[in-house]
């Protein structure tokens, strides 16, 4: 009935005032499309991102720039082969004004293609694949998370600062891992270190023993690893069980210990990682966010929730700048690019390529928390290799 | 194992009529629908070609391949490699080449697999598909885990004349529809050719066929190759439509879904494969769109509904939709007259 | 690669191979004796891991959890056989593929509803949490030795069961010729139920003992399933001995492949399989 009433008012105002467009726009809901994993390995991440996004909107009375929002969501299954059709459903059928997705890098790449082809605003709330804000960068493409390069490069710097001379890397044989490893090498070797060898394990194999043995026999000063989720738990446990934690320092990008500490238990204690967020970040902004999130969802937030929350903040900044008229795409996107986002991770701005220019924290795994013990690199910007907008 | 039951090879007049009506409906569809649904039905038709190609093995010859997606994906990759960085590739030579690539791969793998039988065949086809999957997944020069883009849709220029433009969604739709009809007609001819009869004979009793002097291995290898090539046709079209290929196109799930489609519609007559492909894609769509009821988001648990549906189907209607239809007709026409 | 390193890698490959064997043994028996394709076998491995996680939390003892978990999973196997699989022995392989593919979906979603989608760990018992130093940088966890020990004991048990007991004799007879066995008055249905439950139990035990070192996470079953298929194909369907040798072989190729030929490590086991099939199209020890 309410919608009918609304329609009636719309029609009346159209007739009476003759300035249809602005009025209708102010009444229509803003359409937000979540294309996130809701099943499979990344399901928990997808939910956290959605929760984070909705939390920000709820904190603002369920509205963005005084306009109601409507959510459309679908399970991307972390399957890139279905990504184009899934994204098309949100864009062409549901006519969303903004796309939020995804976790899996391959899916994010497909989304980028669809967003560019259809001129829809896209905010990537996790996938760190460099090309999104690199070779594929475009005015309508943004990221609220990180680039793979950022997390691993900063760890390379830290490793060298800690006096490590030689290192080896271990990751799955897939694009995301290879990007991380290359960035670690760059950061480490720029500061005088030397990466002896890159080891990898076939994806999604979690039998690490052979690779660990190989690494142990080469005796580097440090090992840099990139794994996430279940594989990260197993890797860290195997590492400790093989006694390597006593002889070779393990470093990683934050994913190695994020959301996994409870499962990793003792074996993760003391591991240093770099990330743009840490649960134990003790700032008023973060504390307020954590309290609010915990109260709403009866769950502790994680980095993924923050990325979802900030995706909402970024979009909100754009919507506000155009007074709620999301059809003014260019102005909306310019506003997002110009915005300073007051994130729980600390405030950040976006690079020209649309990736956050943010501090990377050095964190230490203590108990069930990644405690922030310092800043690894301040205001680190992704080099956006291949981006033509620079 | 019980010998596979005879399939519904000859289509009852009523089914033929329904198929004709379906064709007319498909031909008219773009006139009444928007871009999104036109694309969706295009995709369903591509899947129908894929399912028909598998039906040649699964329904006609009785070979259950759990790795058919490999040949589907390969042609998509072939398109990605053949398309230059900044201009389209010509349709008229890239399409046959991609189909040929898939066929060749199927020939090579077939050499290993057609000599195996039953469960072996299932597992070996699956393992080879995994091998091809990892070949592409692990090699950056082949696109790696992120896959490859097809930046331009193929151009249909022939001696300076361009009859149609695949960039248009409607044109792509009709191009696919023509191919569906062509593949169907071709496979129906194959089915009733001496070659097709030999394949059916292999399904029913391979020993007897051999005893009668048929080189069954050669027949099976030919069928495997042909099926792979036709799967390639579907894969090529997928590459054209989405502009993106990824190792998952060759994955285990894609192969299993193709099996589902063929079963769902009914095997061995290719019409069932078409019906099954449409039904399967539509069902997936429906399950994922289920609404939130109270605090339970039914759509979120689409895997559960899909699983229950599959198990239910195989328990209740093992011969698929067309089979179920046939059975209902049978029991209506001749009550108590059992054919089993 | 020096000798010490080589020996450690050998140990790693044997341990991995033994774990694969636990899964493959049940799979090959179900294939061989009931002639049933079971794609959902990996789900039993996952079930075991999740049971270990839940029960070891509840009992505060992994060993007790494994004991109770084994009983639960065997009961689960019996029920599943009774309700579903029994009706599929005489059906096409195709129907079996479909049934078990559908089951994968169901089990994954039930897992998501029951346990959520987070990653969990199970604690290694204090008694087994030590490590034995092997080189100055590397040591070998006692728990892995324990795992291998359990696998070896179960492998021997399985061998004795099949070759020395009456039940084993009936199983072998049933695999050889079902009608004949039935006509001799042996209740083949009972045997099928027992074999199926045995397979489920073995896979679940593998999941349970692996839980503390592999962690517990969604989809963990499907990853290991395909490797097990390769093991069964190489070993020859229905042959437990073949499965053991093939599992060790796959462990060896996988372990050394990762280190020596990392570029093609993902494909190596499949290449191995193709090679074996060229040589012996029915696997090494076809029954």
């Amino acid at each position: 009935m309410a919608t009918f009433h609304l329609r009636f008012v719309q029609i009346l105002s159209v007739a009476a005032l003759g300035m249809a467009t602005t009025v209708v726009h102010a009444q229509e809901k803003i359409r937000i499309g979540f294309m996130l994993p809701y099943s499979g390995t990344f399901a928990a991440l997808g939910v956290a991102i959605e929760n984070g996004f909705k939390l920000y909107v709820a904190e603002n009375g369920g509205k963005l720039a005084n306009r109601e929002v409507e959510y459309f969501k679908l399970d991307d299954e972390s399957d890139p082969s279905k990504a184009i059709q899934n994204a098309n459903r949100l864009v062409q059928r549901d006519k969303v004004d903004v796309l939020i997705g995804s976790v899996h890098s391959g899916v994010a790449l497909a989304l980028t293609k669809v967003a560019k082809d259809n001129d829809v605003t896209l905010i990537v709330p996790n996938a760190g694949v460099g090309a999104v804000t690199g070779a594929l960068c475009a005015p309508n493409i943004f990221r609220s998370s990180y680039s793979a390069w950022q997390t691993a490069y900063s760890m390379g710097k830290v490793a060298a600062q800690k006096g490590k001379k030689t290192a080896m890397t271990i990751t799955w044989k897939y694009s995301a891992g290879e990007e991380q490893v290359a960035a670690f090498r760059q950061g480490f070797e720029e500061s005088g270190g030397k990466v002896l060898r890159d080891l990898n394990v076939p994806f999604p194999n979690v039998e690490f023993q052979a690779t660990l043995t190989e690494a142990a026999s080469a005796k580097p000063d440090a090992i840099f690893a990139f794994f996430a989720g279940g594989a990260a738990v197993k890797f860290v446990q195997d590492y400790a069980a093989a006694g390597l934690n006593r002889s070779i320092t393990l470093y990683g990008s934050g994913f190695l210990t994020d959301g996994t500490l409870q499962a990793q238990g003792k074996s993760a204690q003391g591991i240093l990682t770099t990330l743009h967020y840490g649960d134990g970040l003790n700032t008023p902004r973060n504390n307020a966010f954590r309290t609010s999130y915990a109260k709403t969802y009866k769950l502790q937030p994680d980095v993924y929730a923050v990325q979802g929350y900030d995706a909402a903040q970024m979009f909100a900044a754009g919507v506000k700048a155009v007074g709620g008229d999301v059809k003014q795409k260019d102005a909306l996107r310019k506003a997002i690019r110009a915005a300073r986002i007051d994130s729980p991770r600390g405030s950040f701005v976006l690079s020209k390529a649309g990736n956050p220019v943010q501090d990377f924290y050095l964190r230490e795994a203590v108990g069930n928390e990644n405690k922030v013990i310092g800043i690894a690199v301040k205001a680190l910007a992704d080099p956006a290799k291949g981006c033509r907008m620079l | 194992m019980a010998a596979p039951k005879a399939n519904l090879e000859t289509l009852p007049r009523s089914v033929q009529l329904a198929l004709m009506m379906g064709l007319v409906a498909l031909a008219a569809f773009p006139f009444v629908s928007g871009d999104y649904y036109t694309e969706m039905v295009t995709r369903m038709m591509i899947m129908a070609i894929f399912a028909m190609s598998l039906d040649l093995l699964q329904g006609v010859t009785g070979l259950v391949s759990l790795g058919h997606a490999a040949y589907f994906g390969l042609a998509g990759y072939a398109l990605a490699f053949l398309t230059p960085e900044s201009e389209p590739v010509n349709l008229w030579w890239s399409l046959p080449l991609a189909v040929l690539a898939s066929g060749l791969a199927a020939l090579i793998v077939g050499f290993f697999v057609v000599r195996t039988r039953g469960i072996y065949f299932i597992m070996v086809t699956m393992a080879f598909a995994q091998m091809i999957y990892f070949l592409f997944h692990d090699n950056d020069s082949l696109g790696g885990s992120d896959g490859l883009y097809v930046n331009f849709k193929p151009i249909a220029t022939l001696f300076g004349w361009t009859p149609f433009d695949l960039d248009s969604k409607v044109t792509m739709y009709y191009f696919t529809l023509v191919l569906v009809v062509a593949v169907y007609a071709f496979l129906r001819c194959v089915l009733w050719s001496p070659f097709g009869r030999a394949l059916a004979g292999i399904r029913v009793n391979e020993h007897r066929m051999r005893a009668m002097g048929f080189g069954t291995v050669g027949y099976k290898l030919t069928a495997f190759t042909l099926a792979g090539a036709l799967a390639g046709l579907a894969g090529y079209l997928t590459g054209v439509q989405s502009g993106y290929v990824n190792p998952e196109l060759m994955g285990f799930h894609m192969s299993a879904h193709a099996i589902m489609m063929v079963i769902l519609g009914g095997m061995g007559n290719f019409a069932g494969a078409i019906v099954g492909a449409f039904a399967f894609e539509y069902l997936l769509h429906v399950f994922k769109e289920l609404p939130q009821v109270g605090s339970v988001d039914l759509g979120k648990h689409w895997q559960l509904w899909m699983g229950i549906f599959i198990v239910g189907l195989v328990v209740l209607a093992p011969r698929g939709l067309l089979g179920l239809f046939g059975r209902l007709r049978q029991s209506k026409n001749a009550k108590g007259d059992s054919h089993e | 690669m020096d000798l010490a390193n080589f020996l450690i890698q050998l140990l790693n490959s044997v341990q991995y191979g033994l774990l694969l064997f636990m899964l493959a043994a049940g799979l090959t028996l179900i294939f061989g004796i009931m002639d049933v394709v079971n794609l959902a076998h990996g789900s039993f491995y996952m079930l075991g891991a999740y049971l270990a996680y839940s029960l070891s939390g509840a009992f505060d003892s992994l060993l007790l959890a494994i004991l109770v978990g084994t009983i639960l999973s065997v009961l689960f196997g019996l029920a599943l056989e009774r309700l579903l699989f029994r009706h599929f022995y005489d059906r096409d392989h195709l129907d079996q593929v479909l049934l078990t593919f559908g089951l994968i979906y169901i089990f994954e979603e039930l897992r998501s509803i029951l346990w959520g989608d987070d990653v969990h760990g199970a604690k290694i018992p204090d008694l087994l949490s030590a490590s034995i130093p092997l080189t100055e940088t590397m040591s070998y966890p006692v728990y892995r030795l324990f795992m291998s020990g359990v696998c070896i004991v179960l492998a021997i048990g399985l061998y004795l069961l099949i070759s020395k007991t009456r039940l084993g004799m009936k199983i072998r007879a049933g695999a050889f010729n079902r009608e004949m066995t039935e006509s001799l008055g042996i209740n083949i249905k009972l045997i099928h139920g027992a074999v199926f439950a045995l397979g489920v139990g073995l896979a679940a035990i593998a999941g349970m003992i692996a839980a503390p070192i592999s962690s517990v996470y969604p989809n963990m079953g499907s990853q290991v399933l395909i490797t097990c298929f390769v093991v069964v194909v190489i070993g020859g369907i229905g042959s437990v001995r073949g499965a053991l040798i093939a599992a060790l072989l796959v462990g060896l190729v996988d372990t050394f492949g990762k280190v020596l030929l990392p570029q093609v490590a993902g494909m190596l086991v499949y290449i191995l399989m193709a090679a074996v099939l060229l040589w012996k199209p029915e696997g090494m020890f076809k029954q």
Side-chain angles (χ1 to χ4, degrees):
Chain A
M1 275 302 101
T3 39
F4 177 73
H5 184 71
L6 218 63
R7 288 252 165 244
F8 192 58
V9 170
Q10 277 173 22
I11 292 163
L12 267 191
S13 41
V14 169
L17 299 170
M19 32 193 302
T21 50
T22 48
V23 178
V24 171
H25 277 150
Q27 301 295 341
E28 257 176 29
K29 289 179 177 173
I30 297 180
R31 303 162 82 86
I32 294 166
F34 291 119
M35 185 161 139
L36 294 166
Y38 292 107
S39 62
T41 319
F42 293 138
L45 281 59
V47 172
I49 290 167
E50 185 188 333
N51 284 348
F53 194 102
K54 287 184 169 169
L55 179 66
Y56 179 79
V57 176
E59 284 175 356
N60 290 277
K63 290 182 180 176
L64 292 176
N66 259 328
R67 282 186 59 184
E68 301 263 344
V69 299
E70 185 172 7
Y71 297 111
F72 298 84
K73 56 187 255 191
L74 68 82
D75 179 5
D76 69 28
E77 301 169 55
S78 300
D79 183 346
S81 71
K82 290 188 194 140
I84 300 258
Q85 71 180 70
N86 282 335
N88 273 334
R89 193 176 110 192
L90 289 172
V91 170
Q92 293 176 359
R93 194 194 67 173
D94 300 335
K95 310 247 180 282
V96 297
D97 298 306
V98 63
L99 274 172
I100 308 294
S102 181
V103 171
H104 188 288
S105 287
V107 176
L109 287 171
L111 265 172
T112 309
K113 182 176 163 60
V114 172
K116 283 168 84 169
D117 289 351
N118 294 281
D119 193 26
V120 178
T121 305
L122 165 70
I123 303 176
V124 177
N126 185 63
V129 51
V132 167
T133 56
L136 298 173
C137 77
N140 58 326
I141 310 292
F142 303 92
R143 183 149 49 193
S144 68
S145 51
Y146 60 91
S147 73
W149 183 88
Q150 287 178 308
T151 59
Y153 176 82
S154 48
M155 193 70 246
K157 288 276 176 204
V158 171
Q161 279 161 22
K162 298 264 172 197
K164 306 295 177 196
K165 294 278 174 269
T166 57
M168 287 177 103
T169 67
I170 302 180
T171 183
W172 266 331
K173 188 149 184 57
Y174 73 144
S175 316
E178 276 154 17
E179 273 188 34
Q180 290 262 347
V181 159
F184 174 82
R185 180 191 285 270
Q186 188 190 341
F188 190 53
E189 297 194 340
E190 270 177 17
S191 306
K194 175 96 189 97
V195 174
L196 301 177
R197 197 174 153 197
D198 297 325
L199 297 173
N200 47 54
V201 180
F203 177 86
N205 194 313
V206 288
E207 193 53 42
F208 300 120
Q209 206 63 15
T211 313
L212 288 175
T213 306
E214 185 68 10
S217 71
K219 302 194 190 76
D221 296 337
I223 287 177
F224 171 82
F226 172 68
F227 290 105
V233 175
K234 180 158 190 317
F235 182 82
V236 169
Q237 286 182 332
D238 281 357
Y239 195 86
L244 288 176
N245 55 346
R246 271 174 269 117
S247 46
I248 305 171
T249 317
L250 176 62
Y251 292 125
S253 356
F255 312 100
L256 196 63
T257 56
D258 233 90
T260 54
L261 281 175
Q262 184 265 329
Q264 284 160 335
K266 262 203 317 233
S267 54
Q269 295 307 305
I271 293 180
L272 295 183
T273 57
T274 45
L275 200 66
H276 50 294
Y277 184 68
D279 309 330
L281 192 60
N282 190 12
T283 62
R285 181 72 185 95
N286 187 41
N287 293 338
F289 164 76
R290 295 191 72 85
T291 316
S292 170
Y293 189 97
K295 219 159 83 195
T296 312
Y297 300 109
K298 313 278 176 276
L299 270 174
Q300 285 301 314
D302 52 19
V303 63
Y304 309 106
V306 173
Q307 291 164 179
Y309 188 81
D310 290 343
Q313 293 210 64
M314 285 162 60
F315 186 59
V319 175
K320 207 168 137 202
V322 294
D325 181 9
V326 289
K327 299 290 177 262
Q328 296 181 38
K329 292 180 183 176
D330 287 341
L332 183 144
R333 290 165 189 167
K334 282 210 179 83
I336 297 180
R337 265 199 173 65
R340 173 163 279 280
I341 306 298
D342 183 21
S343 166
R345 72 184 90 164
S347 80
F348 67 85
V349 292
L350 292 170
S351 69
K352 278 188 189 144
N355 193 59
V357 179
Q358 53 195 339
D359 296 346
F360 272 78
Y361 301 105
L362 181 63
R363 307 133 19 114
E364 183 180 359
V366 180
N368 277 343
E369 203 176 67
N370 284 298
K371 222 175 109 189
V372 174
I373 56 171
I375 292 178
V377 185
K378 238 185 137 35
L380 181 62
D382 182 79
K385 222 159 70 190
C387 175
R388 279 185 278 251
M389 283 163 55
L390 295 181
Chain B
M1 185 189 76
K5 293 175 203 92
N7 291 310
L8 202 68
E9 283 180 340
T10 41
L11 298 170
R13 193 154 289 275
S14 56
V15 171
Q16 286 178 12
L17 201 70
L19 284 176
M20 282 311 292
M21 276 159 59
L23 181 63
V24 171
L26 278 178
F29 187 74
F31 291 102
V32 296
S33 96
D35 273 359
Y36 172 73
Y37 288 101
T38 303
E39 271 204 335
M40 187 169 141
V41 176
T42 308
R43 198 167 51 243
M44 287 174 166
M45 292 193 294
I46 294 174
M47 284 300 138
I49 296 178
F50 183 33
M52 280 193 282
S53 76
L54 180 64
D55 197 15
L56 182 65
L57 294 178
Q58 185 172 310
V60 178
T61 323
L63 295 171
V64 183
S65 168
L66 198 44
H68 205 51
Y71 317 104
F72 174 75
L74 265 175
Y77 270 91
L79 170 67
F81 289 124
L82 291 172
T83 305
E85 189 70 30
S86 53
E87 56 177 327
V89 69
N90 190 304
L91 174 76
W92 302 114
W93 63 266
S94 65
L95 175 62
L97 210 60
V99 168
L100 214 66
S102 282
L104 190 66
L107 179 68
I108 295 168
V109 173
F111 175 74
F112 286 86
V113 301
V114 294
R115 292 182 297 169
T116 64
R117 292 225 298 281
I119 293 182
Y120 264 104
F121 186 84
I122 298 174
M123 289 196 290
V124 173
T125 46
M126 175 183 177
F128 272 103
Q130 282 292 307
M131 195 155 126
I132 296 173
Y133 171 91
F134 277 112
L135 178 68
F136 282 84
H137 185 281
D138 288 357
N139 280 293
D140 291 337
S141 51
L142 298 176
S145 59
D146 281 343
L148 294 169
Y149 287 99
V150 184
N151 289 324
F152 299 92
K153 294 199 192 313
I155 188 165
T157 304
L158 202 61
F159 307 115
W161 173 59
T162 310
F164 53 82
D165 174 13
L166 292 179
D167 262 329
S168 146
K169 290 186 169 102
V170 176
T171 311
M172 179 72 196
Y173 178 93
Y174 284 111
F175 182 66
T176 312
L177 179 59
V178 169
L179 286 175
V180 170
V181 174
V183 169
Y184 176 73
F186 170 69
L187 285 173
R188 288 298 297 188
C189 291
V190 168
L191 181 64
W192 294 109
S193 72
F195 172 67
R197 295 296 84 206
L199 294 183
I202 289 172
R203 181 190 73 236
V204 176
N205 191 336
E206 190 175 349
H207 285 295
R208 192 190 299 160
M209 288 301 285
R210 245 200 319 253
M212 281 158 64
F214 284 92
T216 55
V217 167
Y219 277 96
K220 287 199 282 186
L221 185 56
T222 311
F224 198 81
T225 308
L226 186 59
L230 288 174
L233 175 62
Y236 180 92
L237 291 172
T238 294
V240 173
Q241 197 195 16
S242 68
Y244 177 57
V245 293
N246 182 278
E248 294 306 325
L249 285 178
M250 311 174 170
F252 169 62
H253 276 89
M254 196 61 115
S255 294
H257 283 181
I259 292 184
M260 264 307 293
M261 291 170 192
V262 177
I263 293 259
L264 184 54
M267 294 190 295
N269 55 53
F270 306 110
I274 299 177
V275 174
F278 276 80
F280 183 78
E281 289 284 321
Y282 182 71
L283 271 175
L284 262 184
H285 183 78
V286 167
F287 286 141
K288 288 190 187 178
E289 301 256 308
L290 286 175
Q292 181 129 6
V293 175
S295 63
V296 185
D297 185 354
L298 294 179
K300 186 182 181 299
H301 300 305
W302 67 268
Q303 294 203 44
L304 186 61
W305 316 129
M306 197 68 210
I308 291 173
F309 172 78
I310 295 173
V311 171
L313 175 82
V314 70
V315 169
L316 300 173
R319 295 274 77 82
L321 294 177
L322 286 187
L324 192 67
F325 182 72
R327 213 160 60 183
L328 287 178
R329 270 172 47 89
Q330 230 172 44
S331 64
K332 221 185 271 169
N333 291 350
K335 268 210 168 109
D337 184 2
S338 168
H339 293 278
E340 295 275 353
Chain C
M1 189 183 283
D2 56 36
L3 186 67
N5 199 357
F6 173 77
L7 289 176
I8 299 174
Q9 294 292 25
L10 209 58
L11 190 64
N12 292 334
S13 36
V14 168
Q15 188 262 321
Y16 178 46
L18 283 171
L19 188 70
L20 280 179
F21 167 71
M22 295 282 285
L23 281 159
L27 200 58
T28 205
L29 278 175
I30 295 174
F31 279 144
I33 293 172
M34 278 95 105
D35 201 31
V36 167
V37 186
N38 184 12
L39 298 182
H41 202 69
S43 299
F44 305 140
Y45 174 73
M46 178 175 77
L47 173 77
Y50 273 89
L51 278 178
Y53 156 69
S54 283
L55 296 175
S56 68
F59 300 147
D60 205 25
S61 152
L62 183 70
L63 296 178
L64 194 58
I66 290 179
L67 215 65
V68 176
T70 307
I71 297 169
L72 285 177
S73 43
V74 165
L75 288 177
F76 178 69
L78 282 173
L80 205 59
E81 198 270 345
R82 189 70 230 252
L83 292 173
L84 274 179
F85 281 81
R86 174 168 298 184
H87 310 289
F88 279 80
Y89 295 148
D90 293 328
R91 298 274 286 269
D92 291 3
H93 287 141
L94 196 52
D95 293 345
Q96 300 162 355
V97 165
L98 218 55
L99 173 79
T100 52
F101 183 70
L103 286 180
I104 295 181
Y105 272 139
I106 296 178
F107 291 150
E108 273 299 332
E109 200 58 43
L110 288 180
R111 186 268 310 144
S112 166
I113 292 168
L114 284 174
W115 280 292
D117 298 311
D118 289 328
V119 183
H120 298 290
K123 214 173 138 294
I124 294 179
D126 291 334
L127 203 65
L128 299 169
S129 63
S131 288
I132 303 162
L134 293 178
T135 67
E136 49 181 306
T137 43
M138 183 86 188
S139 49
Y140 200 80
V142 171
Y143 188 80
R144 278 182 183 267
L145 290 178
F146 163 75
M147 274 174 77
S148 300
V150 172
C151 294
I152 290 171
V153 167
L154 284 168
I156 294 172
L158 202 58
Y159 167 75
L160 292 176
L161 175 78
I162 290 176
S163 62
K164 303 279 183 227
T165 65
R166 279 193 75 79
L167 178 66
M169 207 173 67
K170 289 177 189 169
I171 290 175
R172 278 178 292 145
F176 186 69
N177 189 330
R178 188 186 304 173
E179 285 80 20
M180 182 76 86
T181 315
E182 260 180 324
S183 66
L184 289 173
I186 291 167
N187 187 347
I188 199 86
K189 276 192 175 152
L190 218 60
I191 294 197
H192 284 167
V195 169
F196 192 85
L198 180 71
V200 174
L202 284 174
I205 292 175
M208 284 187 278
I209 59 171
I213 61 154
S214 89
S215 79
V216 178
Y217 52 96
N219 288 341
M220 62 187 290
S222 56
Q223 298 179 3
V224 78
L225 171 81
I226 299 178
T227 314
C228 287
F229 269 37
V230 172
V231 169
V232 170
V233 168
I234 292 177
I237 287 179
S239 166
V240 175
R241 186 170 51 136
L244 178 62
I245 291 168
L248 292 173
L249 201 60
V250 167
L252 216 65
V253 166
D254 191 75
T255 303
F256 284 93
K258 272 178 203 159
V259 179
L260 300 176
L261 294 165
Q263 292 80 15
V264 291
M267 291 171 66
L268 269 183
V269 292
Y270 304 106
I271 295 175
L272 171 73
M273 184 200 68
V276 169
L277 284 176
L278 260 187
W279 167 51
K280 285 207 164 170
E282 301 245 271
M284 295 194 300
F285 294 91
K286 169 73 180 153
Q287 293 278 292

